[in-house]
């Protein structure tokens, strides 16, 4: 095969020991991230029988050494299984969490803006959310401002936040 360039032959070479080790460590880290998921998120993952049993065991372990051995075993199972599918499912779960946090921060900004600017901000809010109940929001806003002025607990501000959160969720 003298006609073929030398770099073509390197494509046929197996991965180096260092590369295989990095891949194994990445799969073990993937297993660790999966094991640390909440019970609700963990239940949504597409795991087969052996892999699910291994994760169930590691989630119940308290001993650091035993947990580390079990995580390495999970990494081994992932090397022989469908790690890409689990990686995609985990990314979707983590992305959903970021979206929830961003929505929460957006609602907080609206609440703070409404409390600071009053009716001007309410007009902008109603332009963005035309389905919102203007009178209910105006009443909550007025009550929240009155509570802030008299140093009362922010009950109406919390109600305003809940109403804004419902608006954002419905949108």
């Amino acid at each position: 095969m003298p006609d073929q360039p030398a770099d073509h032959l390197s494509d046929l070479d197996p991965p180096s020991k260092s590369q295989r080790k990095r891949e194994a460590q990445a799969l073990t880290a993937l297993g660790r991230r999966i094991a640390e998921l909440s019970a609700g998120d963990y239940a949504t993952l597409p795991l087969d029988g052996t892999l699910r049993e291994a994760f169930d065991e590691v989630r119940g372990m308290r001993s650091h050494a035993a947990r580390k051995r079990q995580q390495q075993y999970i990494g081994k199972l992932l090397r022989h299984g469908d790690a890409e599918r689990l990686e995609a499912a985990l990314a979707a779960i983590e992305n959903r969490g970021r979206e929830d946090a961003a929505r929460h921060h957006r609602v907080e900004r609206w609440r703070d803006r409404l409390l600071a600017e009053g009716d001007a901000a309410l007009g902008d809010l109603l332009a963005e959310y035309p389905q919102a109940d203007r009178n209910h929001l105006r009443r909550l806003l007025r009550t929240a401002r009155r509570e802030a002025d008299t140093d009362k607990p922010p009950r109406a501000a919390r109600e305003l936040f809940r109403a804004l959160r419902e608006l954002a969720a419905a949108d």
Side-chain angles (χ1 to χ4, degrees):
M1 296 197 326
D3 326 307
Q4 296 179 347
D7 62 351
H8 176 67
L9 293 177
S10 67
D11 292 342
L12 301 176
D13 291 339
S16 68
K17 183 177 179 182
S18 298
Q19 180 61 32
R20 288 192 319 260
K21 191 172 182 178
R22 280 190 296 271
E23 290 170 0
Q25 289 171 341
L27 291 174
T28 302
L30 172 65
R32 194 173 304 116
R33 287 174 36 213
I34 291 172
E36 293 171 355
L37 287 175
S38 68
D41 289 338
Y42 171 71
T44 64
L45 290 175
L47 298 171
D48 66 354
T50 307
L51 200 52
R52 184 166 298 277
E53 289 173 13
F55 276 114
D56 289 342
E57 285 181 32
V58 77
R59 290 170 65 88
M61 290 182 174
R62 298 293 170 239
S63 168
H64 178 71
R67 192 172 176 87
K68 186 173 180 178
R69 279 191 307 274
Q70 186 69 10
Q71 287 171 342
Q72 288 174 337
Y73 173 66
I74 288 171
K76 178 181 174 184
L77 290 175
L78 288 172
R79 280 193 296 278
H80 302 294
D82 190 13
E84 293 84 21
R85 185 172 50 118
L86 284 175
E87 185 94 48
L90 184 61
I93 289 170
E94 291 172 345
N95 190 33
R96 186 182 65 225
R98 281 190 289 277
E99 289 172 358
D100 289 346
R103 186 179 313 109
H104 181 82
H105 292 303
R106 198 168 36 252
V107 169
E108 283 180 331
R109 283 192 302 272
W110 269 118
R111 182 203 52 207
D112 294 344
R113 184 173 169 209
L114 284 168
L115 291 174
E117 298 175 19
D119 286 336
L122 184 60
D124 293 342
L125 177 77
L126 292 171
E128 186 170 332
Y129 298 102
Q131 74 276 18
D133 183 3
R134 173 188 300 264
N135 294 330
H136 179 65
L137 291 174
R138 183 172 282 145
R139 183 179 47 79
L140 287 174
L141 182 57
R142 204 173 318 125
T143 308
R145 290 178 125 190
R146 194 175 317 119
E147 286 175 351
D149 291 341
T150 58
D151 291 329
K152 289 186 177 181
R155 184 188 56 79
R158 285 192 291 270
E159 285 184 42
L160 178 63
F161 180 82
R162 281 192 288 271
L164 292 172
R165 187 177 58 204
E166 290 171 6
L167 273 177
D171 195 32

